[in-house]
């Protein structure tokens, strides 16, 4: 029997679910850790449920689950799980889930989001100060993370004494720095601030700026209250490149000069101002000797190793000599982060001891070995607090900049890259400023407390191209996009800290110095591989994956494949001939050649579409069908399409938004095309997916310019978009 998702999926219900899931909101599971590609959880749960429900069980706009379906123990499988959006959605509707990823950071996050909470679901906290009589889900685990994080903070503060002194009896919230180089003018010798802005605060009535003053050949900074005079906002000479004017002689650096100074490790740092808080807002101070002394600590000897990729597409710092991830932290920041990371071993022993005293089993083994006793519980709490160290690393690096309009510090990953910053803000992790310890801890604890738990989750670490897939599962996955971002390279920023904190708990997962870079994508073209070679490898590997997904899928339920549809794909489809297949044609061709029959293609928007949007996230609903129709001719297929397509679209497009109609129509047309094993052209060749899509698009265009029956639910004539 057809499932609801193959016939009448309520797209508006999906959007409503997405509206209720606000990234970053209180209790959102993504707050566990930074990740760059997040599969929406709420709408995916709706999709999964709709894939398991017979179409005749859709009643009054609600997804009703039959008793037979409730008793079905079908597992959901996702070989590209990322941070765990699909596994979390499966757990939310009570399904066992098997998931995988090649990236160890993603695997660790998925384990923390789904596997670990399920193992300790309903457990009471072991710290001896329980706040409730009844604990459900991960509430007890969250309470313990909160408790032991406070122990970690207190122990850390003892070891960091003197690094974050007060100023005039109050906490310093942040220190604002600029990078520096020696003036290229041999007759000058002044140290040039490489400052993109001297403006400290733009809030009306609280404006402030810092003025560079040259005294005896040295630059000192003086905080000025009021609006910064025009022309004094920065000494950056050009918006392009590292071109800065010397405040002493007027000489301008070149980009090449600054890069040369950087690669010879001659870029320095100078503190420009300090920030404290008051009832009226931020207060800016001239730098004091005491604060300079506190910041002048030595870099720890034992820093986490890891080289930044030499790829300016995502990573600018290596071009200026910052080649190691450790180069992105001040000595004080590195001391703070390594201190907390190294304390986790002591914390694990303390939690495990308390868990034994609270009655947890002393047997059962480690967390990585499937244990659920005291040892594993101690390791579990350590995992979440290792995430806290990672969160601190995101908010405490020299890539973090000062927001002079909002009065807070931006984190490292404001976007999917690590840019070069010339001004940076060093926040106080123990003061009332964005990115502080307690603020990040609250986000973490709230996320843990709201994890779904309940059903079993099995998370593996492997390469989807070569690993074995489970059999007879409901396949639900978001395939790697054609030109995706470099997840593996970006995630090394966190991997080096996870490895330091958790290698003893998950030795196999963190055996390498940095992550594997064999991810399924074409990002290798940004690292010197020819684009055509990168695309060819991607297409070959994707074909293998689609064949494995087909072998893995169960026949009773449709498979759910999330992908991305580009405007460029639409343009390519409309061309008579193409030099190479677009990414959309590649994925559709691979699914059909693997044996899948397309049931539907559904736009998965989280808000109203826009003509300016370059991509649309879509869901390809497909079936594993052993007996497909043997074949037909191109003429017969075109005749069938012209005969049946209008009635099909008439029903399909009722009460749908205009921006969704072409994608929905494409899915219907592909369903008619893919049911045949082969469609033969007049010259005896097989009809390609490209030709089929062109015909489907043409028929859709003809249909959409026709008046639509108002009584059927569409209230106006649909004009060609």
């Amino acid at each position: 029997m057809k499932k609801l998702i193959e016939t009448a999926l309520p797209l508006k219900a999906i959007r409503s679910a997405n509206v209720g899931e606000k990234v970053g909101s209180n209790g959102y599971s993504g707050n566990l850790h930074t990740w760059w590609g997040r599969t929406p959880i709420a709408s995916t749960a709706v999709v999964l449920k709709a894939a398991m429900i017979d179409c005749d069980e859709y009643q009054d706009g609600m997804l009703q689950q039959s008793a037979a379906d409730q008793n079905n123990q079908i597992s959901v499988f996702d070989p590209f799980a990322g941070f765990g959006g699909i596994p979390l959605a499966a757990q939310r509707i009570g399904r066992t889930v098997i998931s995988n990823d090649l990236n160890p950071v993603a695997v660790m996050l998925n384990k923390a989001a789904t596997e670990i909470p399920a193992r300790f679901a309903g457990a009471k906290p072991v710290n001896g100060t329980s706040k409730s009589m009844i604990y459900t889900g991960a509430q007890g685990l969250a309470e313990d993370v909160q408790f032991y994080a406070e122990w970690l903070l207190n122990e850390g503060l003892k070891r960091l004494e003197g690094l974050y002194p007060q100023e005039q009896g109050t906490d310093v919230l942040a220190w604002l720095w600029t990078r520096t180089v020696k003036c290229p003018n041999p007759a000058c010798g002044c140290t040039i601030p490489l400052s993109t802005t001297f403006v400290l605060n733009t809030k009306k009535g609280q404006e402030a700026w810092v003025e560079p003053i040259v005294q005896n050949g040295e630059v000192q900074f003086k905080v000025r209250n009021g609006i910064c005079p025009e022309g004094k906002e920065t000494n950056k000479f050009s918006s392009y490149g590292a071109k800065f004017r010397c405040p002493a002689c007027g000489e301008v650096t070149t980009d090449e000069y600054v890069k040369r100074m950087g690669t010879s490790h001659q870029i320095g740092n100078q503190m420009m101002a300090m920030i404290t808080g008051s009832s009226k807002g931020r207060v800016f101070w001239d730098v004091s000797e005491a604060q300079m002394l506190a910041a002048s600590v030595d870099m720890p000897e034992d820093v986490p190793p890891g080289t930044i990729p030499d790829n300016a597409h995502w990573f600018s710092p290596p071009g200026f000599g910052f080649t190691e991830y450790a180069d992105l932290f001040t000595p004080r920041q590195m001391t703070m982060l390594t201190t907390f990371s190294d304390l986790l071993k002591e914390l694990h022993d303390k939690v495990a001891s308390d868990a034994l005293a609270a009655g947890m089993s002393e047997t059962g083994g480690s967390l990585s070995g499937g244990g659920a006793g005291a040892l594993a519980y101690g390791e579990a709490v350590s995992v979440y607090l290792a995430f806290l160290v990672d969160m601190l690393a995101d908010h405490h690096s020299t890539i973090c900049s000062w927001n002079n309009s909002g009065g807070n510090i931006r984190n490292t990953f404001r976007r999917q890259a690590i840019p070069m910053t010339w001004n940076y803000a060093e926040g106080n992790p123990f003061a009332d400023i964005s990115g502080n310890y307690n603020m990040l801890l609250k986000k973490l604890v709230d996320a843990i407390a709201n994890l779904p738990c309940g059903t079993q989750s099995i998370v593996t670490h492997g390469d989807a191209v070569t690993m074995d897939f489970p059999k007879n599962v409901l396949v639900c996955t978001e395939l790697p996009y054609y030109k995706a971002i470099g997840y593996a390279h970006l995630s090394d920023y966190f991997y080096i800290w996870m490895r330091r904190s958790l290698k003893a708990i998950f030795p196999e997962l963190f055996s390498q110095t940095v992550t594997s870079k064999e991810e399924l994508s074409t990002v290798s073209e940004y690292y010197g591989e020819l684009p055509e070679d990168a695309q060819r490898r991607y297409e070959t590997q994707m074909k293998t994956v689609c064949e494995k997904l087909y072998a893995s899928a169960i026949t009773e339920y449709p498979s759910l494949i999330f992908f991305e549809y580009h405007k460029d794909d639409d343009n390519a489809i409309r061309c008579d001939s193409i030099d190479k297949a677009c990414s959309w044609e590649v994925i559709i061709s691979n699914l059909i050649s693997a044996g899948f029959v397309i049931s539907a293609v559904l736009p998965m928007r989280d808000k109203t579409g826009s003509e300016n949007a370059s991509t649309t996230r879509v869901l390809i609903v497909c079936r594993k069908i052993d007996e497909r129709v043997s074949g037909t001719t191109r003429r017969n297929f075109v005749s069938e399409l012209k005969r049946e397509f209008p009635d099909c679209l008439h029903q399909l497009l009722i009460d749908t938004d205009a921006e969704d109609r072409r994608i929905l129509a494409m899915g219907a047309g592909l369903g008619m095309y893919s049911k045949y094993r082969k469609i033969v052209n007049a010259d005896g060749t097989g009809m390609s997916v490209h030709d089929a899509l062109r015909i489907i698009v043409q028929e859709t265009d003809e249909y959409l310019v026709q008046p639509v029956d108002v009584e059927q639910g569409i209230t106006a004539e649909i004009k060609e978009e």
Side-chain angles (χ1 to χ4, degrees), residues 146 150 153 388 429-430 435-443:
Q146 173 73 49
E150 292 171 6
L153 174 61
L388 181 59
F430 313 115
N436 71 67
Y437 187 99
N438 288 327
M439 180 185 298
L440 298 176
L441 175 61
K442 185 179 187 309
K443 289 177 62 177

Side-chain angles (χ1 to χ4, degrees), residues 196-217:
T196 53
T197 182
F198 293 128
V199 178
L200 303 176
N201 196 355
T202 62
K203 189 174 183 180
K204 189 173 181 179
Q206 300 180 27
E207 293 91 349
W209 58 291
V210 64
E211 182 179 10
I213 299 174
V214 180
Q215 294 180 341
N216 301 321

Side-chain angles (χ1 to χ4, degrees), residues 102 104 305 461 492 495-496 499-500 503 506-518:
L102 176 62
H461 176 223
D492 280 344
Y495 177 85
I496 64 168
R499 184 174 187 266
R500 184 186 184 97
K503 185 180 179 182
F506 292 94
E508 293 184 2
L509 194 59
F510 297 106
S511 60
Q512 300 184 85
T513 304
V514 292
T515 64
S516 170
K517 302 303 185 291
E518 300 301 316

Side-chain angles (χ1 to χ4, degrees), residues 174-180 194-197 221 268-274 287 291-292 294-296 330-333 398 400 402 421-427:
W175 300 264
L176 302 186
W177 296 78
T178 180
R179 301 190 197 273
T180 62
L194 307 178
S195 182
T196 53
T197 182
F221 292 98
N269 307 274
Q270 186 172 354
M271 192 184 296
M272 297 194 304
M274 310 178 302
V287 177
Q291 295 297 330
M292 281 297 301
S296 300
T330 69
R332 179 162 54 183
Q333 288 171 333
T398 62
C400 300
W402 176 248
T421 51
W422 301 111
N423 295 92
Y424 61 89
E426 182 186 10

Side-chain angles (χ1 to χ4, degrees), residues 73 105 116 153 188 235 298 329 335 398 587 592 610 615:
Q73 297 302 309
V105 175
I116 296 173
L153 174 61
C188 178
N235 69 321
D298 293 331
F329 302 91
T335 300
T398 62
I587 187 62
I592 293 174
S610 168
T615 62

Side-chain angles (χ1 to χ4, degrees), residues 604-624:
M604 301 297 293
R605 307 182 197 273
D606 59 358
K607 55 185 176 181
T608 302
S610 168
E611 291 185 0
N612 296 324
S614 61
T615 62
T616 301
R617 182 169 174 267
V618 298
L619 172 64
I620 306 167
V621 184
C622 47
R623 275 275 190 171
K624 179 178 181 177

Side-chain angles (χ1 to χ4, degrees), residues 70-192:
Q70 292 172 2
N71 294 326
N72 194 314
Q73 297 302 309
I74 182 71
S75 295
V76 174
F77 173 57
D78 179 7
F80 301 99
F83 92 110
I86 290 173
L88 281 164
Q91 284 189 320
R92 183 173 291 188
I93 64 169
R95 295 293 169 177
T96 296
V97 60
I98 305 167
S99 57
N100 172 81
D101 206 279
L102 176 62
N103 190 295
V105 175
V107 170
M108 197 66 255
L109 179 53
N110 190 4
K111 283 180 176 289
T114 65
E115 189 178 86
I116 296 173
R119 200 174 298 177
F120 297 104
K124 294 182 178 180
V126 302
N127 64 73
T129 61
S130 298
K131 299 176 182 178
S132 174
M133 295 295 294
I134 300 175
Y135 290 88
T136 60
Q139 291 174 346
L141 181 60
E143 194 171 301
D144 272 335
V145 170
Q146 173 73 49
F147 179 87
Y148 291 105
E150 292 171 6
W151 177 90
L152 181 67
L153 174 61
N154 291 331
E155 290 299 312
L157 286 172
K158 295 176 186 177
R159 290 162 172 78
L160 299 172
E161 185 177 2
L163 264 64
Y164 300 92
Q166 291 187 330
E167 184 69 23
Q168 299 191 19
T170 187
D171 287 338
V172 177
L173 303 182
W175 300 264
L176 302 186
W177 296 78
T178 180
R179 301 190 197 273
T180 62
V181 294
K182 184 179 180 180
C183 179
N185 179 0
C188 178
C190 181
T191 297
I192 302 177

